[in-house]
Amino acid sequence: VEGWAGCVVEHVITRTVRDSAAVLDATAGADPGSHHAAGAPERPFLDEVGASPGRLKIAFSAVPGIPAEVDPDCLEAMESAAAQCEELGPDVTEETPPVDAEAFEKAFVTLLAGEVAADVREAERAAGRKAGSADIEPTTAMLRLLGDAMPAGEYSAAVRELKRTSRTMSGFFEKYDMLLTPTTATPAPRVGALLPSGVQLAALKAVIGLRAGWLLRAAGVLERESRPSLAFSPFTMLFNASGNPAMSVPLHWSGDGLPIGVQFVAPLHDEAALFRLAGQLEEARPWCDKRPPVWAGAETVTAEAARA
């Protein structure tokens, strides 16, 4: 069902373009009672894999949808993908969609707080009791407090700001068939790297204990605490809000052997174009059998545990 005012999308991570297309063929379509539904595709998405994408006009941009620094590895991944696209035939041009990054960030984190507050309330109703400190993480508790303290008009204004991105992107895609960006602003972080530090966590728990959402809002905690996690993926959230279909393909690898994805975004309801291009890219730069060194180490540990 629709979640977070349409910003939540469910799909799968696969090793091949074929598998991603097959799953979408099995799951696409409106759920009962849906207010919004894409039209039926002209043919199965699986048939698009291997089909010619035609002569595309592709824009590329390293400017994120919200303010963030972009790691050189991720920039290199995008530039390499742009060069690969040129080799395959598309016209490739550098251009950035005209989005107000600061206004978008403020609207997105406002939506985040309001939706998390609603999520916790629904969970409490389902459980038949109030959520305690052992039930939800401190960051979630903070967002819940902020969401509960938020005026309804402020939430509505944020939703409207996010929905305006659909109009902005529709105008952009009148000029281009596809947009290429990095998928994330940094290579994959270590587990826990995006969580609050010890000092931050202690301060967070102290304020949560006061249950003073108004105090958190006055102190600007929402923007400050959410920025590190949002800064990891500042390129993807724009299209959660606009509704444009997007894909991440692992065409590049860091010096440490980690896969680095690049994001391709298509006009509304044109998933087929993504699958056609993805099939071509997969053939040019196969990734299915590649494994990062950390993966090999994990497989060894798992095998040893199984023998034990």
Side-chain angles (χ1 to χ4, degrees):
V1 297
E2 180 177 299
W4 289 20
C7 286
V8 172
V9 177
E10 295 183 3
H11 193 48
V12 293
I13 297 174
T14 64
R15 285 202 166 279
T16 67
V17 178
R18 177 202 64 212
D19 288 351
S20 184
V23 173
L24 190 58
D25 279 330
T27 60
D31 56 284
S34 174
H35 284 261
H36 311 285
E42 293 183 4
R43 56 181 177 173
F45 294 117
L46 199 55
D47 291 350
E48 304 292 354
V49 182
S52 171
R55 186 65 180 265
L56 300 175
K57 292 183 66 176
I58 299 178
F60 71 93
S61 173
V63 180
I66 65 171
E69 292 187 15
V70 185
D71 187 275
D73 273 342
C74 297
L75 292 175
E76 185 180 347
M78 181 200 68
E79 292 163 359
S80 176
Q84 179 67 73
C85 287
E86 279 192 309
E87 287 182 22
L88 294 173
D91 298 321
V92 181
T93 305
E94 184 172 8
E95 187 166 340
T96 301
V99 175
D100 185 333
E102 291 186 1
F104 179 81
E105 179 188 28
K106 182 178 180 181
F108 196 90
V109 296
T110 299
L111 173 90
L112 184 64
E115 293 293 338
V116 167
D119 287 342
V120 174
R121 287 185 183 183
E122 285 194 9
E124 288 177 334
R125 282 198 297 270
R129 62 179 179 82
K130 292 290 186 181
S133 58
D135 297 312
I136 55 177
E137 295 179 355
T139 303
T140 303
M142 175 200 72
L143 288 169
R144 190 260 176 91
L145 280 176
L146 288 163
D148 284 342
M150 184 185 301
E154 189 171 334
Y155 175 85
S156 182
V159 171
R160 292 183 184 190
E161 176 65 33
L162 295 179
K163 289 188 180 297
R164 274 193 283 272
T165 61
S166 292
R167 310 289 185 193
T168 300
M169 294 311 305
S170 291
F172 185 81
F173 283 115
E174 288 179 359
K175 186 176 180 181
Y176 295 102
D177 302 305
M178 205 81 70
L179 172 66
L180 164 65
T181 74
T183 301
T184 59
T186 68
R190 291 184 176 274
V191 173
L194 302 180
L195 295 175
S197 67
V199 174
Q200 291 174 319
L201 193 58
L204 198 56
K205 288 182 177 179
V207 178
I208 291 169
L210 296 174
R211 296 190 176 278
W214 63 270
L215 180 59
L216 291 171
R217 285 171 52 77
V221 170
L222 177 57
E223 290 81 3
R224 186 173 67 249
E225 295 297 329
S226 61
R227 186 160 287 134
S229 57
L230 296 182
F232 169 63
S233 55
F235 294 97
T236 57
M237 287 172 283
L238 181 61
F239 307 108
N240 287 99
S242 72
N244 291 84
M247 66 179 182
S248 177
V249 286
L251 301 181
H252 190 77
W253 293 72
S254 72
D256 295 331
L258 291 175
I260 299 181
V262 290
Q263 175 179 238
F264 287 90
V265 187
L268 285 171
H269 313 311
D270 202 359
E271 284 85 355
L274 291 175
F275 283 120
R276 290 193 291 269
L277 178 60
Q280 193 178 47
L281 292 169
E282 183 181 39
E283 184 176 354
R285 294 190 185 182
W287 60 73
C288 181
D289 295 326
K290 290 188 176 182
R291 301 288 191 277
V294 66
W295 183 296
E299 288 179 333
T300 300
V301 171
T302 302
E304 290 176 352
R307 285 195 295 272

